[in-house]
Amino acid sequence: MTEGLTGLFTHYTVLGISLASWIFAFCAATLSYILARTAIRFVLKRIQARSTTANGHLSHIAGQVLSGTSHTLLLLASILIGIGILDLPERWLGRVSSLWFVVAALQVGLWLNRAIALALHRYFSRHSGVGAFQASALATLSLWGAKVLLWAVVLLAMLSNVGVNITAFVASLGVGGIAVALAVQNILSDVFASLSIAVDKPFEVGDFIVVGALAGTVEHVGLKTTRIRSLGGEQIVMANADMIGSTIQNYKRLQERRIVFEFRLTYDCSAEQIRQVTQRVEAIIRREEKARFDRCHFRSFGEHALEFETVYIVLDASYNVYMDVQQTINLQIMEMIAEVEARFAFPSRTVYVASLPEPASTGQTLQKASRSEHA
């Protein structure tokens, strides 16, 4: 019985390889997979324990990178270990070697991909504020470019290992790239516009901007579009190329507001009243804590009224603060105008008539009327 089983395992073949060799290869592959998984778990626990220390940011990154190990690629590597034990024909040895390189290149690419993402995330989080990484166009472009470069190198390395002529392949990619660039030139213009926004920074996430007739707060700057939350609450999506080609007013970077306002008084004001008005307007503005007086002048003799112009600076960028200050000034000016017994002018027109025809006398009118009756 034992000899029969032994003969079965040694003499029965599959693809020219004994059944015993297949079983041994299967056991080796299974054991390799279990050992690899166990080793990765052990290393991850050690790294996570070290990442809790004060200077454990590198250990944290290493742990995150190692946790990106693909179970599928690990299984394929274990299978290749088992296959390596088999007595394969010569033509299969080169293919197994190429598969080893492909599996290793893919896994290294996955590790580097995660390492690049974590490193850029950490860099932009430290330099752009908490939570700004996802919204930063520069971060998006940097991550996208680094990943494209990484996987291009991995792909070329794998193709070269399996025997593909890389020179001809790269040349064909160059010709194809020109055709693709011509086909998607509008998209590329938006991508380069996003790069310009990232480098020049005319606005950033959180800034309140006005672009033409659109106004709102920037929520996201992407590779192709910028999303703006308008004052009405709706989201406005605008192409980056259109943003760069327009005049942008950035109110987030406003530190002070220069305010110019006018008012008009009637022509029956005296010179003394005009002097009092300008002096008291200056006093009103100087009493405001969040305002800095600049000037107040009796500007001109208008067509319908005496025109005054006042300039002051609001020491706060908030629009609500500006409106509160302006309202207070307006109310005090109204009270002051009443105190000096002047009057605000309103649009009007006075017509002066030099002469009028004299009205006919009553007697002459009656005579004309009687003549017309007799006639």
Side-chain angles (χ1 to χ4, degrees):
M1 182 69 179
T2 304
E3 293 179 357
L5 289 175
T6 303
L8 175 65
F9 287 118
T10 56
H11 298 293
Y12 184 77
T13 61
V14 178
L15 299 177
I17 301 173
S18 65
L19 183 59
S21 297
W22 282 109
I23 294 175
F24 184 69
F26 175 78
C27 293
T30 304
L31 182 61
S32 299
Y33 181 75
I34 294 173
L35 289 176
R37 290 289 304 275
T38 304
I40 290 174
R41 288 199 193 98
F42 175 77
V43 174
L44 277 175
K45 288 182 179 179
R46 296 293 300 272
I47 291 176
Q48 289 172 357
R50 294 187 60 182
S51 64
T52 57
T53 60
N55 298 322
H57 58 276
L58 292 179
S59 298
H60 175 72
I61 293 177
Q64 291 293 321
V65 170
L66 189 59
S67 64
T69 303
S70 172
H71 294 168
T72 302
L73 293 177
L74 195 61
L75 179 61
L76 288 175
S78 302
I79 293 174
L80 290 176
I81 290 175
I83 292 175
I85 298 175
L86 300 175
D87 186 14
L88 296 174
E90 187 67 26
R91 67 179 184 274
W92 286 98
L93 293 178
R95 297 176 183 178
V96 171
S97 177
S98 298
L99 285 175
W100 263 114
F101 184 85
V102 169
V103 171
L106 287 175
Q107 185 56 67
V108 171
L110 290 174
W111 283 336
L112 291 177
N113 183 78
R114 179 163 289 200
I116 290 171
L118 291 171
L120 289 177
H121 189 180
R122 178 178 175 81
Y123 175 81
F124 285 104
S125 295
R126 293 177 61 183
H127 290 79
S128 302
V130 179
F133 174 74
Q134 294 294 335
S136 171
L138 183 58
T140 304
L141 284 171
S142 301
L143 181 60
W144 181 76
K147 287 185 175 182
V148 168
L149 179 61
L150 168 65
W151 289 110
V153 172
V154 171
L155 177 62
L156 291 176
M158 290 190 300
L159 291 176
S160 177
N161 186 263
V162 298
V164 177
N165 188 351
I166 298 299
T167 304
F169 181 74
V170 172
S172 63
L173 284 180
V175 176
I178 295 174
V180 171
L182 292 175
V184 296
Q185 55 183 337
N186 291 333
I187 297 176
L188 290 178
S189 65
D190 288 327
V191 171
F192 284 111
S194 68
L195 179 61
S196 176
I197 293 172
V199 175
D200 194 41
K201 294 183 179 179
F203 56 85
E204 296 177 342
V205 173
D207 289 1
F208 184 87
I209 63 173
V210 175
V211 185
L214 303 177
T217 303
V218 179
E219 287 190 337
H220 176 79
V221 181
L223 289 177
K224 189 178 187 304
T225 60
T226 296
R227 300 170 195 168
I228 302 172
R229 183 68 61 181
S230 72
L231 294 175
E234 69 272 16
Q235 187 182 70
I236 301 171
V237 181
M238 193 170 183
N240 289 330
D242 295 338
M243 294 283 292
I244 294 298
S246 304
T247 300
I248 301 173
Q249 295 175 272
N250 193 332
Y251 285 91
K252 181 65 177 293
R253 298 174 185 177
L254 181 70
Q255 297 179 351
E256 297 179 340
R257 289 179 181 267
R258 183 178 183 270
I259 308 301
V260 180
F261 71 94
E262 302 172 356
F263 61 92
R264 296 171 177 82
L265 300 180
T266 57
Y267 264 101
D268 56 4
C269 292
S270 65
E272 181 59 30
Q273 286 176 313
I274 293 175
R275 291 191 190 94
Q276 291 184 31
V277 167
T278 56
Q279 292 171 1
R280 296 184 67 172
V281 167
E282 177 180 354
I284 288 171
I285 296 176
R286 290 190 183 280
R287 285 197 297 267
E288 290 294 321
E289 295 181 357
K290 295 183 179 180
R292 183 175 70 247
F293 177 78
D294 187 4
R295 62 182 177 84
C296 178
H297 290 98
F298 167 40
R299 186 182 66 182
S300 63
F301 296 94
E303 184 178 357
H304 309 296
L306 305 175
E307 298 180 348
F308 294 78
E309 183 178 79
T310 304
V311 180
Y312 70 96
I313 309 298
V314 179
L315 305 178
D316 195 301
S318 172
Y319 185 80
N320 290 339
V321 172
Y322 151 61
M323 291 303 297
D324 291 340
V325 171
Q326 185 65 57
Q327 176 178 263
T328 303
I329 292 173
N330 289 342
L331 293 174
Q332 293 186 37
I333 288 177
M334 291 184 66
E335 295 172 353
M336 179 268 295
I337 294 298
E339 291 175 2
V340 300
E341 298 181 350
R343 291 183 301 167
F344 286 105
F346 52 88
S348 61
R349 184 178 297 273
T350 303
V351 179
Y352 293 93
V353 180
S355 63
L356 289 173
E358 295 182 2
S361 62
T362 306
Q364 292 176 345
T365 303
L366 292 175
Q367 289 177 1
K368 291 180 180 179
S370 61
R371 288 175 185 173
S372 61
E373 289 177 359
H374 289 297

